[in-house]
Amino acid sequence: MADLGEWNTLEVVRVEDRGVYLDGNESGEILLPTYEGGKDQVLGAWIKVFIYNDSEDRLIATTKEPKIIVGEYAKLRVVQVNAAGAFLDWGLS
């Protein structure tokens, strides 16, 4: 199972134009988009990725370094406040 909000080492199980899909076991396949580091990855490769939820609440992978991970705390800059809540810059989209 892929651990949300943490670094995971997952296997590439499918390669497509928009990125590669990683084996998240019980979490299912997780997309590592081309723009997040999925370019030039090959089937069967093992990749260290950070797993988080995208804006549509889907699991997504990135090779980019977040400013903070689960279990840590940090001082983050507020970038927007609206009816949904406050949004902080944590280094990922």
Side-chain angles (χ1 to χ4, degrees):
M1 178 174 184
D3 294 319
L4 181 63
E6 297 184 14
W7 288 98
N8 297 259
T9 302
L10 302 176
E11 183 180 11
V12 175
V13 293
R14 189 162 38 120
V15 178
E16 293 190 358
D17 289 339
R18 66 186 202 153
V20 297
Y21 286 86
L22 307 170
D23 182 7
N25 296 310
E26 293 88 16
S27 300
E29 291 183 350
I30 301 170
L31 176 63
L32 171 60
T34 302
Y35 64 88
E36 293 286 354
K39 185 178 180 182
D40 300 325
Q41 301 295 341
V42 295
L43 192 63
W46 288 83
I47 306 171
K48 183 178 177 184
V49 293
F50 183 79
I51 305 296
Y52 67 104
N53 287 58
D54 68 7
S55 61
E56 296 180 20
D57 209 29
R58 298 174 296 200
L59 288 180
I60 195 158
T62 184
T63 57
K64 296 177 183 174
E65 181 87 25
K67 293 180 180 179
I68 189 170
I69 65 171
V70 169
E72 296 180 347
Y73 61 92
K75 187 176 182 179
L76 301 174
R77 184 174 58 89
V78 175
V79 294
Q80 182 182 17
V81 177
N82 62 31
F87 294 86
L88 308 174
D89 174 13
W90 67 303
L92 301 177
S93 58

